Coordinates of all heavy atoms in Angstrom, one line a residue:
P222 N -56.2 -47.0 -40.9 CA -57.1 -48.1 -40.8 C -58.0 -48.0 -39.7 O -57.6 -47.5 -38.6 CB -56.2 -49.3 -40.7 CG -54.9 -48.8 -40.2 CD -54.8 -47.4 -40.6
P223 N -59.2 -48.5 -39.8 CA -60.2 -48.4 -38.7 C -59.8 -49.3 -37.5 O -59.1 -50.3 -37.6 CB -61.5 -49.0 -39.3 CG -61.1 -49.8 -40.5 CD -59.7 -49.2 -40.9
V224 N -60.2 -48.8 -36.3 CA -59.9 -49.5 -35.1 C -60.8 -50.7 -34.9 O -60.4 -51.7 -34.4 CB -60.0 -48.5 -33.9 CG1 -59.8 -49.3 -32.5 CG2 -59.1 -47.4 -34.0
V225 N -62.1 -50.5 -35.3 CA -63.1 -51.6 -35.3 C -63.6 -51.9 -36.7 O -63.6 -51.0 -37.5 CB -64.2 -51.3 -34.3 CG1 -63.7 -51.2 -32.9 CG2 -64.9 -50.0 -34.8
N226 N -64.1 -53.1 -36.9 CA -64.7 -53.5 -38.2 C -65.9 -52.8 -38.4 O -66.2 -52.3 -39.5 CB -64.9 -55.0 -38.2 CG -63.9 -55.7 -39.0 OD1 -63.1 -55.1 -39.6 ND2 -64.0 -57.0 -38.9
A227 N -66.8 -52.7 -37.4 CA -68.1 -52.1 -37.7 C -68.7 -51.5 -36.4 O -68.5 -52.1 -35.3 CB -69.1 -53.1 -38.3
V228 N -69.4 -50.5 -36.5 CA -70.2 -49.9 -35.4 C -71.6 -50.1 -35.7 O -72.1 -49.7 -36.8 CB -69.9 -48.4 -35.2 CG1 -70.8 -47.8 -34.1 CG2 -68.4 -48.1 -34.9
I229 N -72.3 -50.8 -34.8 CA -73.7 -51.1 -35.0 C -74.6 -50.4 -33.9 O -74.6 -50.8 -32.8 CB -74.0 -52.6 -34.9 CG1 -73.1 -53.3 -36.0 CG2 -75.5 -52.9 -35.1 CD1 -73.2 -54.9 -35.9
P230 N -75.2 -49.3 -34.3 CA -76.0 -48.6 -33.3 C -77.2 -49.4 -32.9 O -77.9 -50.0 -33.7 CB -76.5 -47.3 -34.1 CG -75.6 -47.2 -35.3 CD -75.2 -48.6 -35.6
I231 N -77.4 -49.4 -31.6 CA -78.6 -50.1 -31.0 C -79.5 -49.0 -30.5 O -79.2 -48.5 -29.5 CB -78.1 -51.1 -30.0 CG1 -77.2 -52.2 -30.6 CG2 -79.4 -51.8 -29.3 CD1 -76.6 -53.1 -29.6
C232 N -80.5 -48.7 -31.3 CA -81.3 -47.6 -31.0 C -82.7 -47.7 -31.7 O -82.9 -48.6 -32.5 CB -80.7 -46.3 -31.3 SG -80.2 -46.2 -33.1
K233 N -83.6 -46.8 -31.4 CA -84.8 -46.8 -32.1 C -84.9 -45.5 -32.9 O -84.8 -44.4 -32.4 CB -86.0 -46.8 -31.1 CG -87.3 -47.1 -31.6 CD -88.3 -47.3 -30.6 CE -89.5 -48.2 -31.0 NZ -90.4 -48.5 -30.0
V234 N -85.0 -45.7 -34.2 CA -85.1 -44.6 -35.2 C -86.5 -44.7 -35.8 O -86.9 -45.8 -36.3 CB -84.0 -44.7 -36.3 CG1 -84.2 -43.6 -37.3 CG2 -82.6 -44.6 -35.6
G235 N -87.2 -43.6 -35.8 CA -88.6 -43.6 -36.3 C -88.6 -43.6 -37.8 O -87.7 -43.3 -38.5
C236 N -89.8 -43.9 -38.3 CA -90.1 -43.8 -39.7 C -90.6 -42.3 -40.0 O -91.8 -42.1 -40.3 CB -91.2 -44.8 -40.1 SG -90.6 -46.5 -40.1
D237 N -89.7 -41.4 -39.8 CA -90.1 -40.0 -39.9 C -89.0 -39.3 -40.6 O -87.9 -39.9 -40.9 CB -90.4 -39.3 -38.5 CG -89.3 -39.6 -37.5 OD1 -88.1 -39.9 -37.9 OD2 -89.5 -39.4 -36.3
S238 N -89.2 -38.0 -40.9 CA -88.1 -37.3 -41.7 C -86.8 -37.2 -40.9 O -85.7 -37.2 -41.5 CB -88.6 -35.9 -42.1 OG -88.9 -35.1 -41.0
T239 N -86.9 -37.1 -39.6 CA -85.6 -37.0 -38.8 C -84.9 -38.3 -38.9 O -83.7 -38.3 -39.1 CB -85.9 -36.7 -37.3 OG1 -86.7 -35.5 -37.3 CG2 -84.7 -36.6 -36.5
G240 N -85.6 -39.5 -38.8 CA -85.0 -40.8 -38.9 C -84.4 -40.9 -40.3 O -83.2 -41.5 -40.5
D241 N -85.1 -40.5 -41.3 CA -84.6 -40.6 -42.7 C -83.3 -39.8 -42.9 O -82.3 -40.3 -43.5 CB -85.6 -40.1 -43.7 CG -86.9 -40.9 -43.8 OD1 -86.9 -42.1 -43.4 OD2 -87.9 -40.4 -44.3
K242 N -83.3 -38.6 -42.3 CA -82.1 -37.8 -42.4 C -80.9 -38.4 -41.7 O -79.8 -38.4 -42.1 CB -82.3 -36.4 -41.9 CG -83.2 -35.6 -42.8 CD -83.5 -34.2 -42.1 CE -84.6 -33.5 -42.9 NZ -85.1 -32.3 -42.3
L243 N -81.2 -38.9 -40.5 CA -80.1 -39.6 -39.7 C -79.5 -40.7 -40.4 O -78.2 -40.8 -40.5 CB -80.7 -40.0 -38.3 CG -79.7 -40.8 -37.5 CD1 -78.5 -39.9 -37.1 CD2 -80.4 -41.3 -36.2
I244 N -80.3 -41.6 -40.9 CA -79.8 -42.8 -41.7 C -79.0 -42.3 -42.9 O -77.9 -42.8 -43.2 CB -80.9 -43.8 -42.0 CG1 -81.4 -44.4 -40.7 CG2 -80.4 -44.8 -43.0 CD1 -82.6 -45.3 -40.9
K245 N -79.6 -41.4 -43.6 CA -78.9 -40.9 -44.8 C -77.5 -40.3 -44.5 O -76.5 -40.6 -45.2 CB -79.7 -39.8 -45.5 CG -79.1 -39.3 -46.8 CD -80.1 -38.3 -47.5 CE -79.4 -37.8 -48.7 NZ -80.2 -36.9 -49.5
L246 N -77.4 -39.5 -43.4 CA -76.2 -38.9 -43.0 C -75.2 -40.0 -42.6 O -74.0 -40.0 -43.0 CB -76.4 -38.0 -41.8 CG -76.9 -36.6 -42.1 CD1 -77.3 -35.9 -40.8 CD2 -76.0 -35.8 -42.9
L247 N -75.6 -41.0 -41.9 CA -74.7 -42.1 -41.5 C -74.2 -42.9 -42.7 O -73.0 -43.3 -42.7 CB -75.4 -43.1 -40.5 CG -75.6 -42.5 -39.1 CD1 -76.5 -43.5 -38.3 CD2 -74.3 -42.2 -38.4
E248 N -75.1 -43.1 -43.7 CA -74.7 -43.8 -44.9 C -73.9 -43.1 -45.9 O -73.1 -43.6 -46.6 CB -75.9 -44.4 -45.5 CG -76.6 -45.5 -44.7 CD -77.9 -46.1 -45.4 OE1 -78.4 -45.4 -46.2 OE2 -78.2 -47.1 -45.0
E249 N -74.0 -41.7 -45.9 CA -73.4 -41.0 -47.0 C -72.3 -40.0 -46.5 O -71.8 -39.3 -47.4 CB -74.5 -40.2 -47.7 CG -75.5 -41.0 -48.4 CD -76.6 -40.2 -49.1 OE1 -76.6 -39.0 -49.0 OE2 -77.4 -40.9 -49.8
C250 N -71.9 -40.1 -45.2 CA -71.0 -39.1 -44.8 C -69.5 -39.4 -45.2 O -68.6 -38.6 -44.9 CB -71.1 -38.8 -43.3 SG -70.6 -40.2 -42.3
G251 N -69.4 -40.5 -45.8 CA -68.1 -40.8 -46.4 C -67.1 -41.5 -45.4 O -67.5 -42.3 -44.5
E252 N -65.9 -41.2 -45.5 CA -64.8 -41.9 -44.8 C -65.0 -41.9 -43.3 O -64.7 -42.9 -42.6 CB -63.5 -41.2 -45.1 CG -62.3 -41.9 -44.7 CD -62.0 -43.2 -45.4 OE1 -62.6 -43.4 -46.5 OE2 -61.3 -44.0 -44.9
E253 N -65.6 -40.8 -42.7 CA -65.7 -40.7 -41.3 C -66.7 -41.7 -40.7 O -66.5 -42.2 -39.5 CB -66.3 -39.3 -40.9 CG -65.3 -38.2 -41.1 CD -65.3 -37.7 -42.6 OE1 -66.2 -38.1 -43.4 OE2 -64.3 -37.0 -43.0
C254 N -67.7 -42.2 -41.4 CA -68.7 -43.1 -40.9 C -68.7 -44.4 -41.7 O -69.6 -45.2 -41.7 CB -70.0 -42.5 -40.9 SG -70.2 -41.2 -39.7
R255 N -67.6 -44.8 -42.4 CA -67.6 -45.9 -43.2 C -67.8 -47.2 -42.5 O -68.2 -48.2 -43.1 CB -66.3 -46.1 -44.0 CG -65.1 -46.4 -43.1 CD -63.8 -46.4 -43.9 NE -62.6 -46.6 -43.1 CZ -62.0 -45.7 -42.4 NH1 -62.4 -44.5 -42.5 NH2 -61.0 -45.9 -41.7
N256 N -67.6 -47.2 -41.2 CA -67.8 -48.5 -40.4 C -69.1 -48.5 -39.7 O -69.4 -49.5 -38.9 CB -66.7 -48.5 -39.3 CG -65.3 -48.7 -39.9 OD1 -65.2 -49.1 -41.1 ND2 -64.3 -48.4 -39.2
V257 N -70.0 -47.6 -39.9 CA -71.3 -47.6 -39.3 C -72.3 -48.5 -40.1 O -72.5 -48.2 -41.3 CB -71.9 -46.2 -39.1 CG1 -73.3 -46.3 -38.5 CG2 -71.0 -45.3 -38.2
D258 N -72.8 -49.5 -39.5 CA -73.7 -50.5 -40.1 C -75.1 -50.1 -39.8 O -75.6 -50.2 -38.6 CB -73.4 -51.9 -39.7 CG -74.2 -52.9 -40.4 OD1 -75.2 -52.6 -41.0 OD2 -73.9 -54.1 -40.2
T259 N -75.9 -49.6 -40.8 CA -77.3 -49.1 -40.5 C -78.4 -50.2 -40.7 O -79.5 -49.9 -40.6 CB -77.6 -47.9 -41.3 OG1 -77.5 -48.3 -42.7 CG2 -76.7 -46.7 -41.0
K260 N -77.9 -51.4 -41.1 CA -78.9 -52.5 -41.4 C -79.9 -52.7 -40.2 O -81.1 -52.8 -40.5 CB -78.1 -53.8 -41.7 CG -79.0 -55.0 -41.9 CD -78.2 -56.2 -42.0 CE -79.2 -57.4 -42.1 NZ -78.4 -58.7 -42.1
F261 N -79.4 -52.8 -39.0 CA -80.3 -53.1 -37.9 C -81.2 -51.9 -37.5 O -82.3 -52.1 -37.1 CB -79.5 -53.6 -36.7 CG -78.7 -54.9 -37.0 CD1 -77.4 -54.9 -37.4 CD2 -79.4 -56.1 -37.0 CE1 -76.7 -56.0 -37.8 CE2 -78.8 -57.3 -37.4 CZ -77.4 -57.2 -37.8
I262 N -80.7 -50.7 -37.7 CA -81.6 -49.6 -37.5 C -82.8 -49.6 -38.5 O -83.9 -49.4 -38.1 CB -80.8 -48.2 -37.7 CG1 -79.7 -48.0 -36.7 CG2 -81.8 -47.0 -37.7 CD1 -78.9 -46.8 -37.0
K263 N -82.5 -49.9 -39.7 CA -83.5 -50.0 -40.7 C -84.5 -51.1 -40.4 O -85.7 -50.9 -40.6 CB -82.9 -50.1 -42.1 CG -82.2 -49.0 -42.6 CD -81.6 -49.3 -43.9 CE -80.7 -48.3 -44.5 NZ -80.1 -48.7 -45.8
T264 N -84.0 -52.2 -40.0 CA -84.9 -53.4 -39.7 C -85.8 -53.0 -38.5 O -87.0 -53.3 -38.5 CB -84.1 -54.6 -39.4 OG1 -83.3 -54.9 -40.5 CG2 -84.9 -55.8 -39.1
Q265 N -85.2 -52.5 -37.5 CA -85.9 -52.1 -36.2 C -87.0 -51.1 -36.5 O -88.1 -51.2 -35.9 CB -84.9 -51.7 -35.2 CG -85.5 -51.5 -33.8 CD -86.0 -52.8 -33.1 OE1 -85.4 -53.8 -33.4 NE2 -87.0 -52.7 -32.3
R266 N -86.7 -50.1 -37.3 CA -87.7 -49.0 -37.5 C -88.9 -49.5 -38.2 O -90.0 -49.0 -38.0 CB -87.0 -47.8 -38.2 CG -86.9 -48.0 -39.7 CD -86.0 -46.9 -40.3 NE -86.5 -45.6 -40.2 CZ -86.5 -44.7 -41.1 NH1 -85.9 -44.9 -42.3 NH2 -86.9 -43.5 -40.9
L267 N -88.8 -50.6 -39.0 CA -90.0 -51.1 -39.7 C -91.0 -51.9 -38.7 O -92.1 -52.1 -39.1 CB -89.6 -52.0 -40.8 CG -88.8 -51.3 -42.0 CD1 -88.3 -52.3 -43.0 CD2 -89.6 -50.2 -42.6
K268 N -90.5 -52.3 -37.6 CA -91.3 -53.0 -36.6 C -92.2 -52.1 -35.9 O -93.2 -52.6 -35.4 CB -90.4 -53.8 -35.6 CG -89.6 -54.9 -36.3 CD -88.7 -55.5 -35.2 CE -87.9 -56.6 -35.9 NZ -87.0 -57.3 -34.9
D269 N -91.9 -50.8 -35.8 CA -92.8 -49.9 -35.1 C -92.9 -48.6 -35.9 O -92.1 -47.7 -35.7 CB -92.2 -49.6 -33.7 CG -93.1 -48.7 -32.8 OD1 -94.2 -48.3 -33.4 OD2 -92.8 -48.4 -31.7
R270 N -93.8 -48.6 -36.8 CA -93.9 -47.5 -37.8 C -94.4 -46.2 -37.1 O -94.4 -45.1 -37.6 CB -94.7 -47.8 -39.0 CG -94.0 -48.9 -39.8 CD -94.8 -49.1 -41.1 NE -94.1 -50.1 -42.0 CZ -93.3 -49.8 -42.9 NH1 -92.9 -48.5 -43.1 NH2 -92.7 -50.7 -43.6
S271 N -95.0 -46.3 -35.9 CA -95.5 -45.2 -35.2 C -94.4 -44.5 -34.4 O -94.6 -43.4 -33.8 CB -96.6 -45.6 -34.3 OG -96.2 -46.4 -33.2
A272 N -93.3 -45.1 -34.2 CA -92.2 -44.5 -33.4 C -91.6 -43.2 -34.1 O -91.6 -43.1 -35.3 CB -91.1 -45.5 -33.1
R273 N -91.2 -42.3 -33.2 CA -90.6 -41.1 -33.7 C -89.1 -41.1 -33.3 O -88.7 -41.7 -32.3 CB -91.3 -39.8 -33.2 CG -92.7 -39.7 -33.6 CD -93.4 -38.5 -33.0 NE -93.4 -38.5 -31.6 CZ -92.7 -37.6 -30.9 NH1 -92.0 -36.6 -31.4 NH2 -92.7 -37.6 -29.5
T274 N -88.3 -40.4 -34.1 CA -86.8 -40.3 -33.8 C -86.6 -39.2 -32.8 O -87.1 -38.1 -32.9 CB -86.1 -40.0 -35.1 OG1 -86.4 -41.0 -36.1 CG2 -84.6 -40.0 -34.8
A275 N -85.8 -39.5 -31.7 CA -85.4 -38.5 -30.7 C -84.6 -37.4 -31.4 O -84.0 -37.6 -32.4 CB -84.6 -39.1 -29.6
L276 N -84.8 -36.2 -30.8 CA -84.1 -35.1 -31.5 C -83.7 -34.1 -30.4 O -84.4 -33.8 -29.4 CB -85.1 -34.4 -32.4 CG -84.6 -33.1 -33.1 CD1 -83.4 -33.5 -34.1 CD2 -85.7 -32.5 -33.9
A277 N -82.4 -33.6 -30.5 CA -81.9 -32.6 -29.5 C -81.5 -31.4 -30.4 O -80.8 -31.6 -31.4 CB -80.8 -33.1 -28.7
V278 N -81.8 -30.2 -30.0 CA -81.4 -29.0 -30.6 C -80.6 -28.2 -29.6 O -81.1 -28.0 -28.5 CB -82.6 -28.2 -31.1 CG1 -82.1 -26.8 -31.8 CG2 -83.4 -29.0 -32.2
L279 N -79.4 -27.9 -29.9 CA -78.5 -27.2 -28.9 C -78.1 -25.8 -29.5 O -77.0 -25.7 -30.0 CB -77.3 -28.1 -28.7 CG -77.6 -29.5 -28.2 CD1 -76.4 -30.4 -28.3 CD2 -78.1 -29.5 -26.8
P280 N -78.9 -24.8 -29.3 CA -78.6 -23.5 -29.9 C -77.5 -22.8 -29.0 O -77.4 -23.0 -27.8 CB -79.9 -22.7 -29.8 CG -80.6 -23.4 -28.6 CD -80.2 -24.8 -28.6
I281 N -76.7 -22.0 -29.7 CA -75.8 -21.1 -29.0 C -76.3 -19.7 -29.4 O -76.3 -19.3 -30.5 CB -74.3 -21.3 -29.5 CG1 -73.9 -22.7 -29.2 CG2 -73.4 -20.2 -28.8 CD1 -72.5 -23.1 -29.8
Y282 N -76.7 -18.9 -28.4 CA -77.3 -17.6 -28.5 C -76.2 -16.6 -28.8 O -75.0 -16.8 -28.5 CB -78.2 -17.3 -27.4 CG -79.3 -18.2 -27.1 CD1 -79.2 -19.2 -26.1 CD2 -80.4 -18.2 -28.0 CE1 -80.3 -20.1 -25.9 CE2 -81.4 -19.1 -27.8 CZ -81.4 -20.1 -26.8 OH -82.3 -21.0 -26.6
D283 N -76.6 -15.4 -29.3 CA -75.7 -14.3 -29.6 C -74.9 -13.9 -28.4 O -73.7 -13.5 -28.6 CB -76.5 -13.1 -30.2 CG -77.0 -13.4 -31.6 OD1 -76.5 -14.2 -32.3 OD2 -78.0 -12.7 -32.0
D284 N -75.5 -14.0 -27.2 CA -74.8 -13.5 -26.0 C -73.9 -14.7 -25.4 O -73.3 -14.5 -24.3 CB -75.7 -13.0 -25.0 CG -76.7 -14.0 -24.5 OD1 -76.6 -15.2 -24.9 OD2 -77.6 -13.7 -23.6
G285 N -73.8 -15.8 -26.1 CA -72.9 -16.9 -25.6 C -73.6 -17.9 -24.8 O -73.1 -19.0 -24.5
R286 N -74.9 -17.6 -24.4 CA -75.6 -18.6 -23.6 C -75.9 -19.8 -24.5 O -76.0 -19.7 -25.7 CB -76.9 -18.1 -23.1 CG -76.7 -17.0 -22.0 CD -78.1 -16.5 -21.5 NE -78.9 -15.9 -22.6 CZ -80.1 -16.4 -22.9 NH1 -80.7 -17.3 -22.2 NH2 -80.8 -15.9 -23.9
R287 N -76.2 -20.9 -23.9 CA -76.5 -22.1 -24.6 C -77.9 -22.7 -24.1 O -78.2 -22.5 -23.0 CB -75.5 -23.2 -24.5 CG -74.1 -22.7 -25.1 CD -73.0 -23.7 -24.7 NE -71.8 -23.1 -25.1 CZ -71.0 -23.6 -26.1 NH1 -71.4 -24.6 -26.8 NH2 -69.9 -22.9 -26.4
G288 N -78.6 -23.3 -25.0 CA -79.8 -23.9 -24.6 C -79.9 -25.4 -25.0 O -78.9 -25.9 -25.7
C289 N -80.9 -26.1 -24.6 CA -81.0 -27.5 -25.0 C -82.5 -27.8 -25.1 O -83.2 -27.6 -24.1 CB -80.3 -28.4 -24.0 SG -80.5 -30.1 -24.5
F290 N -83.0 -28.2 -26.2 CA -84.4 -28.6 -26.4 C -84.3 -30.0 -26.8 O -83.7 -30.4 -27.8 CB -85.0 -27.7 -27.5 CG -84.9 -26.3 -27.2 CD1 -83.9 -25.5 -27.9 CD2 -85.8 -25.6 -26.3 CE1 -83.8 -24.2 -27.6 CE2 -85.6 -24.3 -26.1 CZ -84.7 -23.6 -26.7
F291 N -85.0 -30.9 -26.1 CA -84.9 -32.3 -26.3 C -86.3 -33.0 -26.4 O -87.1 -32.7 -25.6 CB -84.1 -33.0 -25.2 CG -83.9 -34.5 -25.3 CD1 -83.2 -35.0 -26.3 CD2 -84.5 -35.3 -24.4 CE1 -83.0 -36.4 -26.5 CE2 -84.4 -36.7 -24.5 CZ -83.7 -37.2 -25.6
D292 N -86.5 -33.8 -27.4 CA -87.7 -34.6 -27.5 C -87.2 -36.1 -27.5 O -86.6 -36.6 -28.4 CB -88.3 -34.3 -28.9 CG -89.6 -35.1 -29.1 OD1 -90.0 -35.9 -28.3 OD2 -90.1 -35.0 -30.2
A293 N -87.6 -36.8 -26.4 CA -87.2 -38.2 -26.3 C -87.8 -39.1 -27.3 O -87.2 -40.1 -27.6 CB -87.5 -38.7 -24.8
A294 N -89.0 -38.8 -27.8 CA -89.6 -39.5 -28.9 C -89.5 -41.0 -28.6 O -90.0 -41.5 -27.6 CB -89.1 -39.1 -30.2
G295 N -88.9 -41.8 -29.6 CA -88.8 -43.2 -29.6 C -88.0 -43.7 -28.4 O -88.1 -44.9 -28.0
N296 N -87.1 -42.9 -27.8 CA -86.3 -43.4 -26.7 C -87.2 -43.7 -25.5 O -86.8 -44.6 -24.7 CB -85.3 -42.3 -26.2 CG -84.2 -42.1 -27.2 OD1 -84.0 -42.9 -28.1 ND2 -83.5 -41.0 -27.1
S297 N -88.3 -43.1 -25.4 CA -89.2 -43.3 -24.2 C -89.9 -44.7 -24.2 O -90.3 -45.1 -23.2 CB -90.2 -42.2 -24.0 OG -91.0 -42.2 -25.2
D298 N -90.0 -45.3 -25.4 CA -90.6 -46.6 -25.4 C -89.7 -47.6 -26.1 O -90.2 -48.6 -26.6 CB -92.0 -46.5 -26.1 CG -91.9 -46.2 -27.6 OD1 -90.8 -45.8 -28.1 OD2 -93.0 -46.2 -28.2
F299 N -88.4 -47.5 -26.1 CA -87.5 -48.5 -26.6 C -87.3 -49.5 -25.5 O -86.6 -49.2 -24.5 CB -86.2 -47.8 -27.0 CG -85.2 -48.7 -27.7 CD1 -85.6 -49.6 -28.6 CD2 -83.8 -48.6 -27.5 CE1 -84.7 -50.5 -29.3 CE2 -82.9 -49.4 -28.2 CZ -83.4 -50.3 -29.1
S300 N -87.9 -50.6 -25.6 CA -88.0 -51.5 -24.5 C -86.8 -52.5 -24.4 O -86.1 -52.7 -25.4 CB -89.3 -52.4 -24.7 OG -89.1 -53.4 -25.7
P301 N -86.6 -53.0 -23.2 CA -85.5 -54.0 -23.1 C -85.7 -55.2 -24.1 O -84.7 -55.7 -24.5 CB -85.6 -54.4 -21.6 CG -86.3 -53.3 -20.9 CD -87.2 -52.7 -22.0
I302 N -86.9 -55.6 -24.3 CA -87.2 -56.7 -25.3 C -86.7 -56.3 -26.6 O -86.0 -57.1 -27.3 CB -88.7 -57.0 -25.3 CG1 -89.1 -57.7 -23.9 CG2 -89.0 -58.0 -26.4 CD1 -90.6 -57.8 -23.7
E303 N -86.9 -55.1 -27.1 CA -86.4 -54.6 -28.4 C -84.9 -54.6 -28.4 O -84.3 -55.0 -29.4 CB -87.0 -53.3 -28.8 CG -88.4 -53.3 -29.0 CD -89.0 -51.9 -29.2 OE1 -88.9 -51.1 -28.2 OE2 -89.5 -51.6 -30.3
V304 N -84.3 -54.3 -27.3 CA -82.8 -54.2 -27.3 C -82.3 -55.7 -27.4 O -81.4 -56.0 -28.2 CB -82.3 -53.6 -25.9 CG1 -80.8 -53.8 -25.8 CG2 -82.7 -52.2 -25.9
V305 N -82.9 -56.6 -26.7 CA -82.5 -58.0 -26.7 C -82.7 -58.6 -28.1 O -81.9 -59.3 -28.7 CB -83.2 -58.8 -25.7 CG1 -82.9 -60.3 -25.9 CG2 -82.7 -58.4 -24.3
E306 N -83.8 -58.3 -28.7 CA -84.1 -58.7 -30.1 C -83.0 -58.2 -31.1 O -82.6 -59.0 -31.9 CB -85.5 -58.3 -30.6 CG -86.6 -59.0 -29.9 CD -88.0 -58.4 -30.3 OE1 -88.0 -57.3 -31.0 OE2 -89.0 -59.0 -29.9
T307 N -82.7 -57.0 -31.0 CA -81.7 -56.4 -31.8 C -80.3 -57.1 -31.6 O -79.6 -57.5 -32.5 CB -81.5 -54.9 -31.6 OG1 -82.8 -54.3 -31.9 CG2 -80.5 -54.3 -32.6
L308 N -80.0 -57.3 -30.3 CA -78.7 -58.0 -30.0 C -78.6 -59.4 -30.6 O -77.6 -59.8 -31.1 CB -78.5 -58.0 -28.5 CG -78.1 -56.6 -27.9 CD1 -78.1 -56.7 -26.4 CD2 -76.8 -56.1 -28.4
N309 N -79.8 -60.1 -30.5 CA -79.9 -61.5 -31.0 C -79.8 -61.5 -32.5 O -79.1 -62.3 -33.1 CB -81.1 -62.2 -30.5 CG -81.0 -62.6 -29.1 OD1 -79.9 -62.9 -28.6 ND2 -82.2 -62.7 -28.4
S310 N -80.4 -60.4 -33.2 CA -80.2 -60.4 -34.7 C -78.8 -60.1 -35.0 O -78.3 -60.7 -36.0 CB -81.0 -59.2 -35.2 OG -82.4 -59.5 -35.2
I311 N -78.1 -59.3 -34.3 CA -76.7 -59.0 -34.6 C -75.9 -60.3 -34.3 O -75.0 -60.7 -35.1 CB -76.2 -57.9 -33.7 CG1 -76.9 -56.6 -34.1 CG2 -74.7 -57.7 -33.8 CD1 -76.7 -55.4 -33.1
A312 N -76.1 -61.0 -33.2 CA -75.4 -62.2 -32.9 C -75.6 -63.3 -33.9 O -74.7 -64.0 -34.3 CB -75.8 -62.7 -31.5
S313 N -76.8 -63.4 -34.3 CA -77.1 -64.5 -35.3 C -76.4 -64.2 -36.7 O -76.0 -65.1 -37.4 CB -78.6 -64.7 -35.5 OG -79.2 -63.6 -36.2
R314 N -76.3 -63.0 -37.0 CA -75.6 -62.6 -38.2 C -74.1 -62.9 -38.1 O -73.4 -63.3 -39.1 CB -75.8 -61.1 -38.5 CG -75.1 -60.6 -39.8 CD -75.4 -59.2 -40.0 NE -74.1 -58.5 -39.9 CZ -73.9 -57.3 -40.1 NH1 -74.9 -56.5 -40.4 NH2 -72.7 -56.7 -40.0
S315 N -73.6 -62.8 -36.9 CA -72.1 -63.0 -36.8 C -71.8 -64.3 -36.1 O -70.7 -64.6 -35.8 CB -71.5 -61.9 -35.9 OG -72.1 -62.0 -34.6
S316 N -72.8 -65.2 -36.0 CA -72.6 -66.5 -35.4 C -72.2 -66.5 -34.0 O -71.5 -67.4 -33.5 CB -71.6 -67.4 -36.2 OG -72.0 -67.5 -37.6
G317 N -72.5 -65.4 -33.3 CA -72.1 -65.2 -31.9 C -73.2 -65.8 -31.0 O -74.2 -66.2 -31.5
P318 N -73.0 -65.7 -29.7 CA -74.0 -66.3 -28.8 C -75.3 -65.4 -28.7 O -75.1 -64.2 -28.9 CB -73.3 -66.3 -27.4 CG -72.2 -65.2 -27.6 CD -71.9 -65.2 -29.0
S319 N -76.4 -65.9 -28.4 CA -77.6 -65.1 -28.3 C -77.7 -64.6 -26.9 O -77.0 -65.1 -25.9 CB -78.8 -65.9 -28.6 OG -79.0 -67.0 -27.7
V320 N -78.5 -63.6 -26.7 CA -78.7 -62.9 -25.4 C -80.0 -63.4 -24.8 O -81.0 -63.4 -25.5 CB -78.7 -61.4 -25.5 CG1 -79.0 -60.7 -24.2 CG2 -77.4 -60.9 -26.1
N321 N -80.1 -63.8 -23.6 CA -81.3 -64.3 -23.0 C -81.8 -63.3 -22.0 O -81.1 -62.6 -21.3 CB -81.2 -65.7 -22.3 CG -80.8 -66.7 -23.4 OD1 -81.4 -66.7 -24.4 ND2 -79.9 -67.6 -23.0

């Protein structure tokens, strides 16, 4: 049985192919992610259609070295106001207290 009822990611996912893939993976990966609620990600991404989804690529080279290529994309402009709005949406859905 799951330890928690639901995991609600609080993040900015862009209206781009990377965001589409991320949401699809979270929704369709089966038993491992059954508790991930993507409703708020989908709602938030429609508010800023110009945002892009952050992406990290972590290659492992033939000689064992590792690299890291990171594009902060939407993370760089995910504002505190957007975080509070998302938290309030979650709280209102669950009848919990709002965040000021």
Side-chain angles (χ1 to χ4, degrees):
V224 176
V225 294
N226 258 352
V228 175
I229 302 172
I231 299 172
C232 56
K233 192 169 206 174
V234 175
C236 289
D237 53 16
S238 61
T239 303
D241 294 341
K242 287 176 190 171
L243 174 62
I244 290 172
K245 183 177 178 179
L246 284 169
L247 289 172
E248 291 178 339
E249 295 180 355
C250 71
E252 191 68 18
E253 292 80 13
C254 290
R255 70 183 175 276
N256 295 339
V257 178
D258 184 346
T259 59
K260 174 185 175 187
F261 296 99
I262 294 174
K263 291 178 183 177
T264 301
Q265 187 67 30
R266 79 192 297 221
L267 297 177
K268 292 179 181 178
D269 183 0
R270 292 184 179 272
S271 66
R273 296 178 304 115
T274 306
L276 179 64
V278 177
L279 306 167
I281 300 173
Y282 300 104
D283 289 338
D284 63 2
R286 291 180 305 122
R287 297 168 188 252
C289 179
F290 307 99
F291 179 68
D292 177 5
N296 289 345
S297 62
D298 66 352
F299 188 37
S300 73
I302 291 170
E303 290 173 301
V304 172
V305 170
E306 288 173 353
T307 303
L308 290 171
N309 283 333
S310 285
I311 294 166
S313 68
R314 181 180 113 176
S315 65
S316 303
S319 66
V320 177
N321 295 318

